[in-house]
Amino acid sequence: MDVLRPPLIRIGGRVYRKNLIQEQALPHEEEEDFCAGPSDCADEPCDAFVVEETERGFRCRLEVPSPLYKYIIGKKGETKKRLETETRTSISIPKPGVEGEIVITGQQRSGVISARTRIDVLLDSFRKRQPFTHFLSLALNQPAIQEKFLQFKEEVLEKCSKDHGVSSSLFQNPAKLHLTLGTLVLLNEQEIQKACDLLQRCKEDFVDQITGGQPLTVEVAGVEYMNDDPAMTDVLYAKVHMKDGSDRLQMVADQLVERFVASGLMLKEWDRVKLHATVMNTLFRKDPTEERNNTMTGKSSFKERESFNGQNILKLFENFHFGVVQLDSVRLSQRFSSDASGYYATSGQL
């Protein structure tokens, strides 16, 4: 890393420099830490959060999902002790599994600000490593689309089953056909509610204006692959476009993601949302019991990808027509879940 051009970390609309430090390699994830010098953040303004003055000094409260407590505490409390010593503060953390506020107190305002900033950077680093728990989706599982998808699957297996890597386990569950707009890491009920509230505000602020309060008519037709070699395909998807030729669906998708990124609930991955409906994915390659187990445990078993040769599929089904669908809601969907219809369980929608 160039010490004159350190990486920047964006948290809550503010930008921090991540300075070069000496880190000790430790065996357990909870022992990892981002450590700044004791005075690096001491003079930072605190307009991004509130520091209260008390009879004994200063205090700052922050809400942190309980699964992240361990990263502030560290092994045998070492991270917490170091933060307290270097910033001359006291950090109070709720018991494991109990949702609540972390409270930072100290005699010096600058010390409280420094501790809060360092905790923010520490948590941001670990949050980025968490697997996503929810995603914004548009359901494409209407009966007519499902029927055409099953026809597509049957014909692919009939004509291309001898191609390398092609098997029935690669296909999407027809009840879960969807467009993914963006993924989120939501670690407690408060964060889920925050995402639901933001989704409703988006509806009021711009979605209704773009759509005119009416469903969007979308055509699902043709297939394409994600990577650069069709002979080594991992993801094959159906293409979608507005029936009237407009870009209203793209506008809704891009503005939703922009708003969620600005709120800190979503990380920005691309300049524009890639509108696609996955129909085949090598991550689906599994034994028949895996999806049932994942639904029950909420976990995905790791399996190294085995690509498939998609050249014939792309040639034979280049213009396959899956149908036309009316899109009338964006859902906050929960990963590794199912509702009564077979689609992902919904935490909120607009």
Side-chain angles (χ1 to χ4, degrees), residues 242-255:
M242 286 290 297
K243 186 71 172 174
D244 62 8
S246 72
D247 62 350
R248 289 185 296 157
L249 177 58
Q250 187 71 55
M251 290 173 61
V252 169
D254 290 341
Q255 290 190 36

Side-chain angles (χ1 to χ4, degrees), residues 224-271:
E224 190 56 86
Y225 62 104
M226 282 290 190
N227 53 307
D228 57 3
D229 184 0
M232 297 290 289
T233 299
D234 282 319
V235 176
L236 190 80
Y237 63 90
K239 296 182 285 187
V240 297
H241 62 269
M242 286 290 297
K243 186 71 172 174
D244 62 8
S246 72
D247 62 350
R248 289 185 296 157
L249 177 58
Q250 187 71 55
M251 290 173 61
V252 169
D254 290 341
Q255 290 190 36
L256 278 171
V257 169
E258 183 179 343
R259 185 67 65 88
F260 271 77
V261 169
S263 74
L265 289 170
M266 187 181 290
L267 295 177
K268 185 172 183 178
E269 298 182 73
W270 315 102
D271 290 334

Side-chain angles (χ1 to χ4, degrees), residues 2 30 33 76 82 130 149 201 212 225 227 229 236 239 269 331:
D2 187 343
E30 61 266 29
D33 187 20
K76 297 181 180 179
R82 184 168 66 252
Q130 305 297 315
F149 170 78
R201 290 199 298 275
Y225 62 104
N227 53 307
D229 184 0
L236 190 80
K239 296 182 285 187
E269 298 182 73
R331 309 186 190 195

Side-chain angles (χ1 to χ4, degrees), residues 3-16:
V3 295
L4 298 179
R5 295 181 177 85
L8 302 178
I9 300 175
R10 290 173 172 79
I11 303 174
R14 306 182 69 206
V15 179
Y16 299 93

Side-chain angles (χ1 to χ4, degrees), residues 185-339:
V185 176
L186 306 177
L187 299 177
N188 60 18
E189 290 300 322
Q190 289 86 347
E191 292 190 344
I192 293 173
Q193 188 58 52
K194 182 180 177 181
C196 291
D197 293 343
L198 179 57
L199 200 55
Q200 290 304 315
R201 290 199 298 275
C202 289
K203 173 180 170 64
E204 299 165 3
D205 292 348
F206 61 84
V207 173
D208 282 346
Q209 181 179 353
I210 294 173
T211 65
Q214 299 297 319
L216 297 178
T217 304
V218 172
E219 185 172 25
V220 185
V223 293
E224 190 56 86
Y225 62 104
M226 282 290 190
N227 53 307
D228 57 3
D229 184 0
M232 297 290 289
T233 299
D234 282 319
V235 176
L236 190 80
Y237 63 90
K239 296 182 285 187
V240 297
H241 62 269
M242 286 290 297
K243 186 71 172 174
D244 62 8
S246 72
D247 62 350
R248 289 185 296 157
L249 177 58
Q250 187 71 55
M251 290 173 61
V252 169
D254 290 341
Q255 290 190 36
L256 278 171
V257 169
E258 183 179 343
R259 185 67 65 88
F260 271 77
V261 169
S263 74
L265 289 170
M266 187 181 290
L267 295 177
K268 185 172 183 178
E269 298 182 73
W270 315 102
D271 290 334
R272 284 168 61 99
V273 175
K274 186 175 182 65
L275 296 171
H276 68 283
T278 298
V279 293
M280 298 175 69
N281 192 331
T282 54
L283 287 180
F284 298 159
R285 195 189 298 278
K286 57 188 180 300
D287 64 75
T289 62
E290 185 174 322
E291 182 173 350
R292 175 172 56 84
N293 292 337
N294 288 347
T295 300
M296 294 172 62
T297 63
K299 297 181 180 180
S300 175
S301 60
F302 174 80
K303 190 178 185 68
E304 187 175 351
R305 285 193 167 197
E306 178 192 347
S307 300
F308 66 93
N309 187 343
Q311 289 175 308
N312 285 332
I313 299 175
L314 289 162
K315 185 184 301 182
L316 295 172
F317 300 92
E318 180 182 6
N319 299 311
F320 188 90
H321 191 264
F322 291 91
V324 175
V325 61
Q326 301 282 327
L327 299 179
D328 58 4
S329 68
V330 178
R331 309 186 190 195
L332 178 63
S333 299
Q334 182 180 335
R335 194 181 187 189
F336 304 129
S337 68
S338 296
D339 61 16

Side-chain angles (χ1 to χ4, degrees), residues 9-16 48 117 119-125:
I9 300 175
R10 290 173 172 79
I11 303 174
R14 306 182 69 206
V15 179
Y16 299 93
T117 303
I119 288 174
D120 281 344
V121 174
L122 179 67
L123 293 179
D124 181 72
S125 174

Side-chain angles (χ1 to χ4, degrees), residues 17-42:
R17 296 183 301 274
K18 184 174 181 179
N19 296 323
L20 180 65
I21 58 171
Q22 296 292 327
E23 291 184 317
Q24 181 181 2
L26 298 173
H28 301 293
E29 185 181 37
E30 61 266 29
E31 297 176 58
E32 298 178 12
D33 187 20
F34 171 79
C35 180
S39 62
D40 285 347
C41 304

